[in-house]
Amino acid sequence: AQSVTQLDSQVPVFEEAPVELRCNYSSSVSVYLFWYVQYPNQGLQLLLKYLSGSTLVKGINGFEAEFNKSQTSFHLRKPSVHISDTAEYFCAVSDYGGSQGNLIFGKGTKLSVKP
Amino acid sequence: DTEVTQTPKHLVMGMTNKKSLKCEQHMGHRAMYWYKQKAKKPPELMFVYSYEKLSINESVPSRFSPECPNSSLLNLHLHALQPEDSALYLCASSPGQGSFGQPQHFGDGTRLSIL
């Protein structure tokens, strides 16, 4: 079975500062990894995904994430955040077939960007 | 703009009412999902349809009844709901269930309030 741990429930940061949202996963099989963002009163939007290949993945809105197999981590980073990045961020995993490919979500990290 | 359209955006109903939530996608996806999301929590999977057949029912109470009339439409029929069923209901679709890491695309959800 897979599980996802998002280490910080809330991350406050000032505008134009860098940010890292941490995600660790547990799985006995190979997985696909995703970061989704949820703005207030909206659904989830895919930020980026890791399937295979290069461990550094670039996504939308200037976000990137690095897959680290040895540390079973997939941390999300942005070098300079904007007020508009304030949202809930979910890390998710999907295995190659054991759970029929369904998404397992972390509990989420609330990113609050302050002026 | 989201490629998965959910209607209505908001719904208030009494415990004895019958109502339906609707979801539509025109991306040619063959897997569709219903999730329930409570405030400050990740989405919880309720149902999965694969090629218009119910694939997964995550032990959801029978007062929730899903229906997939065709490959583009997904309904969730509601009857005799309880106050604890108040939540954001999200629909998602993907090319296929567990199809090699293809991400799920989410709608903006229906905010349901049970009086």
Side-chain angles (χ1 to χ4, degrees):
Chain A
Q2 297 79 43
S3 66
V4 178
T5 302
Q6 291 184 242
L7 296 160
D8 305 295
S9 59
Q10 297 186 58
V11 173
V13 64
F14 287 105
E15 193 173 19
E16 297 184 7
V19 71
E20 178 180 82
L21 305 185
R22 297 180 293 168
C23 173
N24 286 89
Y25 68 94
S26 173
S27 177
S28 58
V29 298
S30 296
V31 294
Y32 304 115
L33 294 155
F34 307 86
W35 275 99
Y36 282 89
V37 60
Q38 186 173 31
Y39 299 104
N41 300 313
Q42 292 188 23
L44 277 68
Q45 180 182 2
L46 180 70
L47 273 178
L48 47 79
K49 62 184 178 183
Y50 174 78
L51 304 184
S52 64
S54 173
T55 57
L56 183 63
V57 179
K58 294 189 184 298
I60 63 171
N61 301 341
F63 284 94
E64 64 180 32
E66 185 155 20
F67 170 62
N68 188 318
K69 187 175 182 179
S70 62
Q71 296 187 7
T72 60
S73 67
F74 190 53
H75 300 333
L76 181 71
R77 301 186 183 101
K78 186 169 183 177
S80 176
V81 294
H82 302 289
I83 298 287
S84 59
D85 292 322
T86 294
E88 190 83 26
Y89 291 79
F90 292 100
C91 181
V93 301
S94 172
D95 71 15
Y96 280 15
S99 64
Q100 300 180 282
N102 294 329
L103 287 174
I104 309 299
F105 287 97
K107 292 187 176 182
T109 297
K110 170 70 173 174
L111 176 63
S112 299
V113 181
K114 305 174 188 301
Chain B
D1 289 340
T2 181
E3 296 167 311
V4 177
T5 304
Q6 291 188 242
T7 55
K9 292 190 184 301
H10 302 274
L11 179 62
V12 179
M13 58 186 286
M15 288 190 284
T16 58
N17 293 156
K18 286 184 181 181
K19 296 286 185 183
S20 297
L21 309 184
K22 297 185 184 302
C23 174
E24 188 169 7
Q25 58 89 12
H26 293 290
M27 294 178 282
H29 289 175
R30 303 314 300 266
M32 296 186 76
Y33 311 77
W34 278 116
Y35 289 86
K36 174 183 178 181
Q37 186 180 26
K38 300 286 276 186
K40 303 186 189 302
K41 299 288 187 184
E44 299 174 18
L45 184 64
M46 300 174 72
F47 302 104
V48 181
Y49 273 82
S50 179
Y51 289 84
E52 300 156 51
K53 294 190 187 306
L54 184 62
S55 170
I56 292 177
N57 176 340
E58 293 285 4
S59 303
V60 178
S62 59
R63 56 186 184 268
F64 294 91
S65 175
E67 177 196 20
C68 189
N70 60 55
S71 61
S72 299
L73 292 174
L74 186 65
N75 299 321
L76 186 62
H77 303 298
L78 315 173
H79 174 55
L81 295 193
Q82 303 298 308
E84 61 266 26
D85 297 323
S86 296
L88 180 68
Y89 287 83
L90 293 165
C91 174
S93 71
S94 66
Q97 187 178 2
S99 53
F100 301 103
Q102 290 301 311
Q104 294 180 23
H105 297 250
F106 286 81
D108 281 338
T110 294
R111 178 79 58 189
L112 177 65
S113 298
I114 307 300
L115 300 178

